[in-house]
Structure formats: structure tokens, C-alpha cells
Amino acid sequence: MKENKSRAPFLRLMGVLGKDKGMLAVSFIFAFLYAVTQAAGPFLLGRAITVIAEGVLSPEGGFPFTELLNVIIACGITYILNWLFLLLQNRIMIGVTQRMVLRLRSAIARKLGRLPLGYYEGRPFGDLLSTV
């Protein structure tokens, strides 16, 4: 029984989200991709350092410029994708949040509009605000 009570706020929040549940899922996907590219950046930088060290210490004397360039390009693409995923996730979450707050405020306004005038007369303004 206790489990249902702990899930109740989450279920109410899902009800308030309405049609934005899909956008929330898309935002989570972008957050996952952001985390993946965030982890890949330092890995690629480490690979670039390894290529430089191996090229400098190579007994043959040839420096692998093309391999280093490929790693640097991959690193740049990773950081651009990282920025893009973060931007998209934030934009989606801002829109979802604003629409959810609008729905909540509209529901509160409808509820307060249905209350009789006597309800407001018998209570101080601060009590009404704290209740809302």
C-alpha cells in the first residue's frame, strides 16, 4: 500500500504533462546522447596525445599527420554534436516546462474562480496564497 502512495505524485505529474510526455522522452534521448559525446571527447583527446607521442618517439622518424588530423576532426565533430545535443535537450525542456506551468496556473485560476465569494472574505490574503 505504501508503494502506491509514493507513486502518486509521479502519476499526478504525468497527468499534468499531458501531450508533452513524448517530448520529455525525446529530451531524455538527447540527454543520453549528450552524456555519450561528453565522455567521448576526452577519449579522443587522449587518442590524439597518444598519436603525437608515438609519432615523436617513432624510430622511423615519420610523423602520422593524417592519423592525427583524423582524430582531431573526430574530436571536433564530437564536441559540436555535444553542444547540439545539449542545446536541443534544453530547448525541449524549456518548452515542456513552460507549457506545464501554464497548465498548472490555468487549473489554479479555474479552481479559484469556482470558489464562492464567502471563501475569500473569511480568510486573510496570505493564507490564500500559501494554500495555492
Side-chain angles (χ1 to χ4, degrees):
M1 193 72 173
K2 186 174 182 145
E3 182 179 326
N4 289 340
K5 282 187 175 183
S6 66
R7 293 177 63 197
F10 176 74
L11 294 175
R12 286 182 68 192
L13 179 65
M14 288 294 114
V16 172
L17 275 172
K19 296 177 182 177
D20 286 326
K21 292 175 192 167
M23 293 306 289
L24 187 65
V26 171
S27 176
F28 285 144
I29 291 169
F30 282 132
F32 174 76
L33 293 173
Y34 169 76
V36 169
T37 55
Q38 187 75 18
F43 172 77
L44 290 172
L45 287 176
R47 179 69 188 132
I49 291 170
T50 303
V51 168
I52 291 170
E54 288 174 353
V56 169
L57 299 176
S58 174
E60 299 141 10
F63 191 82
F65 285 108
T66 56
E67 185 179 356
L68 179 62
L69 183 63
N70 289 339
V71 172
I72 290 174
I73 289 172
C75 188
I77 291 171
T78 299
Y79 280 121
I80 290 171
L81 287 175
N82 183 298
W83 169 79
L84 182 65
F85 293 145
L86 180 64
L87 178 75
L88 291 172
Q89 184 220 358
N90 285 339
R91 292 281 181 164
I92 290 171
M93 284 306 297
I94 288 169
V96 167
T97 303
Q98 286 179 344
R99 286 187 296 275
M100 189 172 84
V101 167
L102 176 66
R103 282 192 288 274
L104 285 171
R105 289 174 62 112
S106 298
I108 290 169
R110 282 192 305 273
K111 174 72 174 177
L112 291 176
R114 286 193 309 260
L115 293 174
L117 192 56
Y119 181 81
Y120 296 107
E121 290 175 353
R123 290 176 176 74
F125 183 67
D127 287 347
L128 291 172
L129 284 179
S130 65
T131 301
V132 169

